[in-house]
Amino acid sequence: MQLHLRNSRCLVLGAGGFLGKNLCLALAEVGAIVTGFDRGPCPDIFNNRVKWKSGDFTSLQDYADDVAEADFVFHLIATTVPGTSNSDILYDIDSNLKTTVQLLEHCRKYRGKKIIFASSGGAVYGVPTTVPTPETGSTCPISSYGIMKIAIERYLSLFEHLYSLEYRILRIANPFGPFQNGQSHQGAIASFMYRILAGKVIDIWGNGEVVRDYLYVNDVVDALISVCAYDGKHRIFNIGSGEGRSLNQLLKDLSRVTGKQPDVRYHEARKTDVPSIVLDCSLAARELLWHAKTPFETSLNLTKNWMQTQI
Amino acid sequence: MQLHLRNSRCLVLGAGGFLGKNLCLALAEVGAIVTGFDRGPCPDIFNNRVKWKSGDFTSLQDYADDVAEADFVFHLIATTVPGTSNSDILYDIDSNLKTTVQLLEHCRKYRGKKIIFASSGGAVYGVPTTVPTPETGSTCPISSYGIMKIAIERYLSLFEHLYSLEYRILRIANPFGPFQNGQSHQGAIASFMYRILAGKVIDIWGNGEVVRDYLYVNDVVDALISVCAYDGKHRIFNIGSGEGRSLNQLLKDLSRVTGKQPDVRYHEARKTDVPSIVLDCSLAARELLWHAKTPFETSLNLTKNWMQTQI
């Protein structure tokens, strides 16, 4: 267990989401003093282990005091997903980029805070020219979601340059696990698992040969906690399993784990889907001494156990 | 003279600015049908050679019909400059990024239009790792101005990917020449030339050893016109002289050309000034058969002749 965050004050923006819930629980576990911020009421699972602040990320006043008190600010909020972000780009800019700049302008008034930003390993590189893709790979996103992640990364770098605001960025691959909603397009594994268990049809856009880098959420949380203690020169880390799996392969894996046969319908491919992305995570291995530890089969079983409670 | 734009309908957004005025006159010269769009009234120099549309770029209705009629849309509008863009980033996002996305969303409704975007060779690379810097150089801007230029470049690429909207980008170095205002921080040569001729003190931030790539505006206009005919696979071109000059060297050059001794005051360096940037323009030479033709001494004399009419 990592103990460097014991008694550190951690603010988690987006604490009610999939990553946020897992992170808050893990932070509480390692002895951090955790404040969770999100829309809506405090999730039951936090059970007094997390101080809850309900509010709107577009309104600085809703969380300004919490930033003032925090040592670490985890920014996990995203209002869009790659597949839908292109349909209202102005909303994407307003709700993700402008709100984050507002957060940074507020953070820079204080000394000694560190911002940990959840960027996207799947969206920032676009169609990769090198596979597995390192952090230095060219970034040419094919979604507004990815363009906004890159712009936020650049503003973080700018604020360090201008105001010595500290930050770390994790470009996270495709996380899955408990608390990922199977009914809200959050990820293929959650969606497929839910639909198999609930006996519903699975829709796939394209021929199912799209390859992604899936990793268990506990490994992501482990990386988010590890990076807090990192004081080296790097700022951006790929966080993935380093292994590629196609959707068709996933269907076989899920069929094996659930013991059920999926009912699949294939549709025309979408232009926002990168054909293949697998992350080169050797920088995180070297600098953070981190790697994805949970075996894939174990991860799927843990996810299944949780998902069965949600049907 | 390049004749491929004869009778083409060209819309110039930002036609009242330094680049815009020069471009409109050159487009009219090569036989294009030119509409100029900007705030304020039609500049006298256009003298019926340019159809004028006055309006606000934030209001799509002010120029929507002009886009509908155009074959080429030159987007030269920037509401900020690198040195000031960091002081109000939300304004930078609203007035440069969101307005441009609005333009692109409108353009994609039509077939066969080409957008030519004036990006920045001085701001997008940040502190360059390779000098002279090629288009493939890493882009880590140290100003919001540069971050916005990169984000716009990415949205252009996205709109081609999603909607086949055609575009070309010129990353223009430091242009100078007639119509560049010496009193509005638009460029070192204009500002220094004006202040020398007007007998005013010149303020320099840092020790004057900051190096830039200066090129004459006619060469930029030549590139903007050349790229309209380009149908190869590249989208982004550096447009510079390929030669670096320090501010101190510029002062000597201007002193020689004007026959006057500049009165200089040195101040503390600014964090938004890249120490040195010189562009590698070999891609434009190979693909556009373009290079900066006007000798530096000639350019300075032409600029002086114009500036003298403004004192």
Side-chain angles (χ1 to χ4, degrees):
Chain A
M1 193 189 287
Q2 303 188 74
L3 294 175
H4 58 268
L5 289 183
R6 178 172 291 279
N7 295 325
S8 291
R9 291 158 303 179
C10 294
L11 172 63
V12 178
L13 302 171
F18 159 50
L19 270 185
K21 283 177 181 162
N22 283 283
L23 177 62
C24 284
L25 291 176
L27 287 172
E29 192 70 24
V30 298
I33 302 158
V34 190
T35 300
F37 175 85
D38 215 324
R39 294 173 298 194
C42 181
D44 294 338
I45 46 145
F46 288 158
N47 194 21
N48 294 326
R49 283 176 291 179
V50 173
K51 181 186 158 197
W52 189 255
K53 190 68 166 291
S54 183
D56 185 338
F57 187 47
T58 59
S59 166
L60 176 62
Q61 290 319 308
D62 286 5
Y63 65 89
D65 293 346
D66 305 293
V67 166
E69 288 168 11
D71 302 308
F72 296 93
V73 177
F74 294 88
H75 177 9
L76 312 179
I77 293 178
T79 64
T80 58
V81 295
T84 60
S85 63
N86 297 330
S87 62
D88 190 350
I89 294 174
L90 297 179
Y91 171 73
D92 204 21
I93 296 172
D94 279 336
S95 62
N96 289 310
L97 186 60
K98 289 184 66 179
T99 49
T100 299
V101 167
Q102 183 174 256
L103 165 68
L104 302 190
E105 293 282 8
H106 184 62
C107 284
R108 77 175 172 96
K109 296 178 195 157
Y110 305 94
R111 291 263 150 217
K113 288 185 198 308
K114 207 178 263 179
I115 299 184
I116 316 294
F117 176 61
S119 184
S120 166
V124 300
Y125 299 108
V127 181
T129 46
T130 315
V131 179
T133 308
E135 291 83 354
T136 51
S138 71
T139 52
C140 197
I142 57 172
S143 65
S144 179
Y145 178 88
I147 295 175
M148 291 295 89
K149 290 288 190 190
I150 289 283
I152 291 170
E153 290 188 358
R154 294 248 159 73
Y155 276 117
L156 283 163
S157 168
L158 177 66
F159 275 64
E160 179 178 56
H161 176 77
L162 295 176
Y163 313 116
S164 304
L165 181 63
E166 283 196 76
Y167 74 98
R168 305 290 181 263
I169 293 165
L170 301 188
R171 290 181 176 166
I172 302 165
N174 291 59
F176 69 96
F179 307 124
Q180 190 169 35
N181 189 334
Q183 298 173 69
S184 67
H185 308 285
Q186 275 200 333
I189 292 182
S191 174
F192 291 1
M193 181 82 85
Y194 169 78
R195 301 189 80 80
I196 290 174
L197 293 176
K200 298 191 175 195
V201 171
I202 291 174
D203 293 299
I204 287 184
W205 284 266
N207 62 6
E209 289 307 308
V210 158
V211 168
R212 291 288 177 275
D213 179 328
Y214 299 95
L215 84 166
Y216 192 55
V217 68
N218 284 21
D219 289 324
V220 179
V221 164
D222 198 24
L224 286 163
I225 292 177
S226 294
V227 83
C228 291
Y230 175 73
D231 275 324
K233 67 172 185 172
H234 295 278
R235 294 291 174 269
I236 301 180
F237 300 93
N238 280 343
I239 298 297
S241 69
E243 289 171 19
R245 278 189 173 73
S246 72
L247 293 177
N248 290 331
Q249 205 172 328
L250 268 193
L251 289 171
K252 282 186 203 155
D253 296 329
L254 291 171
S255 174
R256 186 180 62 252
V257 166
T258 58
K260 296 190 178 189
Q261 198 58 36
D263 181 8
V264 185
R265 237 183 273 156
Y266 290 87
H267 307 270
E268 205 180 335
R270 294 179 299 199
K271 279 197 162 180
T272 46
D273 286 327
V274 174
S276 177
I277 177 84
V278 181
L279 299 182
D280 176 343
C281 301
S282 50
L283 186 69
R286 203 170 66 236
E287 299 285 323
L288 306 180
L289 306 179
W290 174 93
H291 69 276
K293 293 176 191 70
T294 323
F296 190 63
E297 198 79 5
T298 312
S299 309
L300 285 186
N301 276 304
L302 290 165
T303 305
K304 184 192 68 176
N305 295 346
W306 178 81
M307 191 67 85
Q308 276 171 330
T309 69
Q310 306 295 308
I311 302 295
Chain B
M1 191 189 290
Q2 302 189 74
L3 295 173
H4 58 267
L5 289 183
R6 178 171 291 280
N7 296 326
S8 291
R9 291 159 303 179
C10 295
L11 172 62
V12 179
L13 302 171
F18 159 50
L19 271 184
K21 283 176 180 161
N22 283 284
L23 177 62
C24 284
L25 291 175
L27 287 171
E29 192 70 22
V30 299
I33 302 159
V34 190
T35 300
F37 175 85
D38 215 324
R39 294 173 298 192
C42 182
D44 293 341
I45 45 146
F46 287 158
N47 195 21
N48 294 327
R49 283 176 291 179
V50 173
K51 180 186 158 196
W52 189 255
K53 190 68 165 293
S54 184
D56 185 337
F57 187 46
T58 58
S59 166
L60 177 62
Q61 290 317 311
D62 286 5
Y63 65 88
D65 293 347
D66 305 292
V67 167
E69 288 169 9
D71 302 309
F72 296 92
V73 177
F74 294 87
H75 177 9
L76 312 180
I77 293 177
T79 63
T80 58
V81 296
T84 61
S85 62
N86 297 332
S87 62
D88 190 351
I89 294 174
L90 297 179
Y91 171 73
D92 204 21
I93 295 171
D94 280 337
S95 62
N96 288 310
L97 186 60
K98 289 184 65 178
T99 49
T100 300
V101 167
Q102 183 174 256
L103 165 68
L104 302 190
E105 292 282 8
H106 184 62
C107 284
R108 77 176 172 93
K109 297 179 194 156
Y110 305 95
R111 291 263 149 216
K113 289 185 196 309
K114 208 178 265 180
I115 298 185
I116 316 294
F117 176 61
S119 185
S120 165
V124 300
Y125 300 108
V127 181
T129 46
T130 316
V131 179
T133 308
E135 290 83 353
T136 50
S138 71
T139 52
C140 196
I142 57 172
S143 64
S144 179
Y145 179 88
I147 295 175
M148 292 293 90
K149 290 287 190 191
I150 290 283
I152 291 170
E153 291 188 357
R154 293 249 159 71
Y155 277 117
L156 283 163
S157 168
L158 178 66
F159 275 65
E160 180 178 55
H161 176 77
L162 295 175
Y163 313 116
S164 304
L165 181 63
E166 283 195 76
Y167 74 98
R168 304 289 181 264
I169 292 165
L170 301 188
R171 289 181 177 168
I172 302 166
N174 291 58
F176 69 95
F179 306 123
Q180 190 170 34
N181 190 332
Q183 298 172 70
S184 68
H185 309 283
Q186 275 201 332
I189 293 182
S191 174
F192 291 1
M193 181 80 87
Y194 169 78
R195 301 189 79 81
I196 290 174
L197 293 175
K200 299 191 175 196
V201 171
I202 291 174
D203 292 299
I204 287 184
W205 284 263
N207 62 5
E209 289 306 308
V210 157
V211 168
R212 293 286 178 275
D213 179 329
Y214 298 95
L215 84 164
Y216 193 56
V217 67
N218 284 21
D219 289 324
V220 179
V221 163
D222 198 25
L224 285 163
I225 292 176
S226 294
V227 82
C228 292
Y230 175 73
D231 275 324
K233 67 173 182 169
H234 294 279
R235 294 292 174 267
I236 301 180
F237 299 94
N238 279 344
I239 299 296
S241 69
E243 289 172 20
R245 277 188 174 75
S246 72
L247 293 177
N248 291 330
Q249 205 172 329
L250 267 193
L251 289 171
K252 284 185 201 154
D253 296 330
L254 290 171
S255 174
R256 187 179 63 252
V257 166
T258 58
K260 296 189 179 189
Q261 199 57 32
D263 182 6
V264 185
R265 241 183 272 157
Y266 291 87
H267 307 270
E268 204 181 334
R270 294 179 298 200
K271 279 197 161 179
T272 46
D273 286 328
V274 174
S276 176
I277 178 84
V278 181
L279 299 182
D280 176 345
C281 302
S282 50
L283 186 70
R286 202 170 66 235
E287 298 286 322
L288 308 179
L289 307 178
W290 175 92
H291 68 276
K293 295 177 190 69
T294 323
F296 189 63
E297 199 78 6
T298 312
S299 309
L300 284 187
N301 277 305
L302 290 165
T303 306
K304 183 191 69 176
N305 295 345
W306 178 80
M307 191 66 84
Q308 277 171 332
T309 68
Q310 306 295 308
I311 304 294

